[in-house]
Amino acid sequence: MTAIADLPPGLLMMIGALFLPLLAKRMQAWTVLALSALSLALFILTPSGDHGNLTLFGAELHLVRIDSISRPFAIVFHLAAIISAIYALHVRDPRQHVAGALYSGAAIAAACAGDLLTLFVFWELTAISSVFLIWASDNERSYRAGMRYLIIQVTSGVLLLSGAIVQYVETGSLSFTSFFRDQVRVPAVTQLVAGLLPESDRHGHRFPECIHDETRRLFVDPWFCRLRAADLGGLCDDIVPDCIRRD
């Protein structure tokens, strides 16, 4: 069980998603459901604490941190993935199943990240995978909405990475425990999701919608709000509504 605990929660879903195109279309949705349920079972059995500790270029990383905050959020994310998979049992589009499983797995792994670099990697993976759900409608409106979404999401990742670099330079650590509590304005993320997801198809709408808002809450309090780069959140509040407004 120790070896499993060292792997990021949700990794099973992400790896399984890569093999979905090899299955018959009618089996893909059921496989996503099975992967989500199995991932939840493994997560429940994983003990609390820091796991997957390693050193990279002198920086100590904690791939997994399960505590009183990350555990309930990861469980909720798993349940959301299971419900979304049930909702999508009728879907025969491999792109949506692959993107949905990758997105959910990455969000779960991000929720249990123990350092800023691990968080950044899975944060960006959620951005890349979820944009394909927006593009699932295969029309010009969804394509334009997806591009706006991708630009803003990748930008948020760049800000996160910038804050991580500042944190490492000042403290020599990428751990969340070295943060100090700050206040930050965060409605921009909710506005972004509300403005863009309606351009996706029905399944693509619900997969990110049920997780995005809870991800925001998780990292706004008590972790993400402490990131110095998030001081730019006030600026984002002003520009995001105009950027995502549909034509």
Side-chain angles (χ1 to χ4, degrees):
M1 194 64 197
T2 302
I4 296 178
D6 289 337
L7 300 177
L11 183 63
L12 176 65
M13 299 171 64
M14 290 182 277
I15 295 177
L18 302 179
F19 294 94
L20 288 177
L22 302 179
L23 302 177
K25 289 185 177 180
R26 70 177 184 277
M27 293 299 299
Q28 291 173 357
W30 288 100
T31 302
V32 172
L33 178 58
L35 288 172
S36 302
L38 181 57
S39 179
L40 174 59
L42 292 175
F43 177 75
I44 291 176
L45 296 175
T46 302
S48 298
D50 291 344
H51 308 286
N53 301 328
L54 55 89
T55 301
L56 180 65
F57 301 116
E60 185 176 355
L61 304 181
H62 306 281
L63 301 184
V64 181
R65 172 172 293 172
I66 301 178
D67 53 24
S68 59
I69 297 176
S70 60
R71 185 177 292 277
F73 273 92
I75 291 176
V76 169
F77 288 179
H78 274 104
L79 294 176
I82 291 173
I83 294 172
S84 297
I86 294 174
Y87 181 85
L89 287 177
H90 67 285
V91 176
R92 297 294 183 265
D93 184 356
R95 297 173 304 170
Q96 295 187 55
H97 294 305
V98 172
L102 281 173
Y103 175 81
S104 298
I108 293 167
C112 297
D115 62 83
L116 289 171
L117 183 58
T118 302
L119 171 61
F120 167 76
V121 170
F122 291 117
W123 184 279
E124 288 299 283
L125 184 56
T126 61
I128 295 172
S129 57
S130 58
V131 73
F132 287 96
L133 294 175
I134 298 177
W135 286 339
S137 293
D138 288 327
N139 57 55
E140 184 64 24
R141 287 172 62 89
S142 66
Y143 175 78
R144 292 199 303 267
M147 290 303 299
R148 293 194 295 270
Y149 170 87
L150 186 61
I151 290 172
I152 296 174
Q153 282 291 88
V154 171
T155 300
S156 72
V158 173
L159 295 177
L160 172 60
L161 181 60
S162 300
I165 294 173
V166 172
Q167 183 72 21
Y168 183 72
V169 170
E170 292 187 358
T171 68
S173 173
L174 292 172
S175 174
F176 292 115
T177 57
S178 58
F179 282 155
F180 298 94
R181 197 172 186 84
D182 297 316
Q183 290 184 347
V184 61
R185 298 168 64 194
V186 295
V189 176
T190 301
Q191 293 169 351
L192 172 65
V193 176
L196 295 183
L197 290 180
E199 299 297 350
S200 66
D201 76 335
R202 295 181 64 192
H203 171 231
H205 186 148
R206 283 162 176 76
F207 232 126
E209 182 181 42
C210 60
I211 293 178
H212 256 103
D213 195 49
E214 296 306 315
T215 305
R216 173 183 63 83
R217 288 192 179 97
L218 172 60
F219 291 109
V220 166
D221 186 15
W223 293 339
F224 190 66
C225 63
R226 305 172 193 175
L227 187 60
R228 289 177 174 83
D231 290 337
L232 296 176
L235 175 63
C236 292
D237 286 350
D238 296 328
I239 66 174
V240 166
D242 289 334
C243 292
I244 67 175
R245 185 175 295 117
R246 296 189 295 275
D247 297 334

